[in-house]
Amino acid sequence: MSEQATTPVADFWFDPMCPWAWMTSRWMTEVEQVRDVTVRWHVMSLAVLNEDKDIPEDYRAMLADGWGPVRVIVAAAREHGDDVVKPLYDAIGTRFHPDGRSDRREVVAEALAEVGLPAALLERYDNAADDIDAALRASHAEGIALVGEDVGTPVVAFEGRAFFGPVLSPAPKGEAAGRLWDGALLLAEFDGFYELKRTRTVGPIFD
């Protein structure tokens, strides 16, 4: 009997607070539909990434408010399995980004209810429990180790290749999403390739 074929897996690291990671996640959701790939979702944290860096105080205060949502996602995955990560991210991210909500605790409470997860998980929002924060940091470190400390979220890894981004707006759909995936993988094949960039002239377009 021949071995059953398995779908290749891409790993995606995100911080639910980041609108650009949200845009890229919408692209990867499209890629799953048009290419032979399954996405596995992981958390990372801009608060962890920047905790020892010299950054403006208003940005640091914003990042401090980012611990809660990602802690709840980590706790949900630990207690209910990794399959809840993407639906919970979708529910949180839709409220944060397209809906423009800033009442973050209320957003997470609503998202838990939408996904059918226990409301008690919200207790993790402000609880810097060693086990949850250690798991968060470990997930973050796994993703950032693939691309280096001078980038942020998201990180995508596929078959030994990893890259930050792409940063895009709006997220392409259908075959356009697949073509961008093909191009990203082609660039990532070259060990000496590091950056392709131009000035952003638009913000995230949530369509």
Side-chain angles (χ1 to χ4, degrees):
M1 181 182 297
S2 61
E3 293 185 4
Q4 184 176 0
T6 58
T7 303
V9 173
D11 290 285
F12 187 101
W13 282 263
F14 66 92
D15 183 324
M17 295 277 288
C18 178
W20 295 105
W22 175 256
M23 298 300 301
T24 310
S25 74
R26 301 309 91 186
W27 165 62
M28 284 303 302
T29 300
E30 289 285 318
V31 170
E32 279 192 297
Q33 306 305 311
V34 296
R35 292 294 184 269
D36 186 28
V37 61
T38 295
V39 182
R40 187 164 50 195
W41 304 85
H42 313 268
V43 295
M44 62 185 299
S45 169
L46 290 172
V48 173
L49 182 69
N50 290 281
E51 62 184 346
D52 296 323
K53 295 181 180 178
D54 184 15
I55 59 175
E57 285 305 312
D58 57 344
Y59 184 51
R60 187 173 299 281
M62 186 274 290
L63 294 180
D65 199 29
W67 285 92
V70 76
R71 280 175 177 151
V72 172
I73 293 173
V74 170
R78 285 169 65 92
E79 296 179 22
H80 300 277
D82 291 337
D83 287 346
V84 305
V85 172
K86 177 59 160 47
L88 188 53
Y89 178 35
D90 288 346
I92 291 172
T94 297
R95 289 168 171 81
F96 278 171
H97 305 304
D99 293 353
R101 299 271 297 276
S102 59
D103 48 338
R104 295 188 175 95
R105 180 186 292 276
E106 289 79 5
V107 160
V108 174
E110 291 174 13
L112 289 169
E114 177 182 322
V115 177
L117 291 170
L121 284 167
L122 194 63
E123 296 173 5
R124 294 293 198 171
Y125 193 98
D126 294 313
N127 183 3
D130 289 343
D131 60 334
I132 296 300
D133 281 10
L136 188 165
R137 289 178 181 276
S139 180
H140 174 92
E142 182 182 8
I144 211 71
L146 300 173
V147 290
E149 294 284 343
D150 58 342
V151 299
T153 177
V155 171
V156 180
F158 182 73
E159 295 187 339
R161 292 166 278 178
F163 48 87
F164 159 70
V167 176
L168 41 81
S169 181
K173 294 180 170 59
E175 183 57 22
R179 289 174 56 217
L180 179 58
W181 174 248
D182 299 338
L185 294 185
L186 180 61
L187 288 173
E189 285 183 4
F190 293 87
D191 290 339
F193 178 80
Y194 297 103
E195 189 169 357
L196 179 68
K197 189 173 183 179
R198 60 182 176 181
T199 301
R200 291 197 299 265
T201 58
V202 298
I205 298 173
F206 306 121
D207 56 1

